[in-house]
Amino acid sequence: YAGLVWDFSRHITGQNAEPEMARIVIDATGDIADRDCHKYVKSVITKLEKALALSLSLNDGNRVKRICETIMSYEKRHDSDTDTEIWGLAYDLLLGNKGLPLSDGQRTKIIDDLEDKLQRAANASRSAELNAFAIENIAIRLANYYRKMDRKDDVRRVLKTYGDAFLILVEKANALTASSWLRKIHSVYVDFGLKSEADAVAVRLREVGKRCKDEL
């Protein structure tokens, strides 16, 4: 309820709430996540994002540190190959935020966890459990990070994993759907400078394009 006080005080009373209300929100959110007091993981993700923003706005170093650690542990604890909703939480909230006091070890762990997820999802592509969209979400995150680090080989590796996963689906999809997926792959390859890979996809796209007319 401290969150309601914090959010609505100015609208109702014309005055900002006391900072202590925000501190209560942050601490309660940390407790909710650490104790898994939730029905839906998504609701906790939203709360953690808000708690991190509040901690930063208060410039409260101890609470910032606690929420960062909570975010990482929460994602790790609820990591699941069958429910990928939480995949990339720590990357999205922490790694791209320059104001956070992350250690080199924490940064490395976030990337290593994403690599582990990508590998697990890619291995599943050899079975009936292929989740190409989960592979896409992780691969794009890793590619953006590796591009910033000027690690071109890693950029190509993770994006090829993404492209190959969708090429498996393309073989089984109708032409219109396959064309949409191939256009997306081509666009990503071009954006990241993978010219030869983009050219190969363009050939497949032209082939699928001929089938689209028959399906209309």
Side-chain angles (χ1 to χ4, degrees):
Y1 293 102
L4 295 176
V5 176
W6 179 260
D7 289 337
F8 287 99
S9 284
R10 184 156 190 84
H11 298 288
I12 303 296
T13 69
Q15 297 179 339
N16 292 328
E18 293 294 326
E20 183 60 22
M21 291 295 103
R23 298 187 185 102
I24 293 174
V25 174
I26 296 164
D27 295 341
T29 299
D31 291 341
I32 287 170
D34 290 338
R35 299 176 186 176
D36 290 332
C37 300
H38 67 267
K39 183 175 182 180
Y40 302 108
V41 169
K42 180 64 176 179
S43 65
V44 181
I45 293 175
T46 302
K47 293 179 189 299
L48 287 170
E49 184 175 7
K50 181 174 182 177
L52 180 61
L54 286 175
S55 300
L56 291 170
S57 67
L58 294 177
N59 197 25
D60 191 326
N62 289 332
R63 285 182 169 84
V64 169
K65 182 179 179 181
R66 190 231 170 146
I67 292 299
C68 288
E69 293 171 350
T70 296
I71 288 171
M72 294 182 66
S73 63
Y74 189 76
E75 178 176 1
K76 184 69 174 178
R77 196 162 59 253
H78 293 279
D79 183 13
S80 169
D81 289 343
T82 57
D83 185 0
T84 61
E85 183 179 34
I86 200 170
W87 281 19
L89 174 67
Y91 177 91
D92 293 342
L93 297 186
L94 306 181
L95 202 59
N97 198 325
K98 297 180 180 179
L100 295 179
L102 294 180
S103 66
D104 290 339
Q106 287 175 315
R107 294 177 183 277
T108 299
K109 186 177 186 307
I110 291 171
I111 295 301
D112 287 347
D113 284 346
L114 287 184
E115 285 282 8
D116 176 65
K117 290 178 174 65
L118 181 65
Q119 187 61 45
R120 281 156 43 199
N123 288 339
S125 69
R126 302 186 182 95
S127 69
E129 300 299 322
L130 173 63
N131 187 342
F133 295 98
I135 294 175
E136 176 185 11
N137 289 336
I138 296 302
I140 297 299
R141 287 180 172 97
L142 286 170
N144 281 317
Y145 175 80
Y146 289 138
R147 178 161 60 178
K148 291 178 182 178
M149 299 294 105
D150 197 28
R151 293 166 56 174
K152 297 180 181 179
D153 289 342
D154 285 319
V155 170
R156 175 170 275 102
R157 172 179 58 82
V158 298
L159 289 182
K160 278 285 291 175
T161 300
Y162 147 63
D164 290 346
F166 269 94
L167 289 178
I168 294 174
L169 296 184
V170 164
E171 296 298 327
K172 304 175 183 179
N174 63 64
L176 292 175
T177 301
S179 176
S180 175
W181 287 340
L182 288 170
R183 288 180 186 278
K184 176 67 180 298
I185 297 170
H186 183 268
S187 176
V188 170
Y189 281 169
V190 169
D191 180 47
F192 283 89
L194 276 62
K195 186 178 185 305
S196 60
E197 288 82 356
D199 290 343
V201 171
V203 173
R204 295 287 299 275
L205 189 56
R206 286 194 292 272
E207 295 171 351
V208 170
K210 296 176 183 178
R211 289 165 42 204
C212 287
K213 296 180 180 180
D214 297 329
E215 292 186 2
L216 291 174

